[in-house]
Amino acid sequence: MKRVISNIAATAGVLALVAGGAVAQPVEPIPSTAEGALDIPELWDCDRIEPEYAQWLEDGNAPEDWRYVGKTYRDVDDDELYSWQDWLDWVDDAGCGAGIAEAGKSPKAIVGVLVAFYATGLIAALSGDRAISPG
């Protein structure tokens, strides 16, 4: 009986390793020349992708469902890898998109960030330099 249990445990362990290995296999990056691939970073500018993405979000779509999310691309000229997250970081650094990258990539979050920003400014303006007693 112990031998049967031992064999079952060993088989389960091997199956787990095989299954884990199958899941852990890296996905080949999409060549930048493939149809529908995200442009290479050298071609990025605020007017190319941001308006389409912003409209897509305004239409009520989820950020994680955007066509470039979760994919890795390879620039065929220099083999550099890039992704949608790289584009979001670039947008943030370039100052495009009214805060799309930092606001969690959703229109409601963008409105929340803007409201918080203006509310903080209003509170600071109204409070002035008054000292508060530690009471």
Side-chain angles (χ1 to χ4, degrees):
M1 183 67 165
K2 284 184 180 180
R3 186 178 179 128
V4 171
I5 292 173
S6 177
N7 287 340
I8 291 172
T11 302
V14 169
L15 289 175
L17 287 174
V18 170
V23 172
Q25 295 298 319
V27 175
E28 187 68 27
I30 300 167
S32 59
T33 55
E35 186 175 333
L38 178 62
D39 286 337
I40 59 173
E42 289 79 19
L43 298 178
W44 294 348
D45 73 38
C46 295
D47 296 327
R48 276 186 91 134
I49 299 173
E50 190 277 327
E52 179 186 356
Y53 180 58
Q55 182 62 53
W56 191 81
L57 292 173
E58 286 176 25
D59 290 343
N61 296 294
E64 62 272 10
D65 294 336
W66 178 240
R67 63 184 168 165
Y68 300 123
V69 172
K71 299 174 185 172
T72 301
Y73 300 90
R74 180 183 52 80
D75 185 335
V76 296
D77 292 332
D78 60 15
D79 283 336
E80 292 292 321
L81 300 179
Y82 61 99
S83 68
W84 179 245
Q85 185 58 53
D86 294 324
W87 185 86
L88 289 172
D89 294 342
W90 177 86
V91 164
D92 189 29
D93 292 342
C96 306
I100 284 178
E102 12 0 81
K105 296 146 303 291
S106 79
K108 289 179 184 172
I110 292 170
V111 171
V113 167
L114 292 175
V115 168
F117 175 75
Y118 289 116
T120 302
L122 181 62
I123 291 168
L126 292 175
S127 66
D129 290 335
R130 290 181 276 161
I132 298 176
S133 159

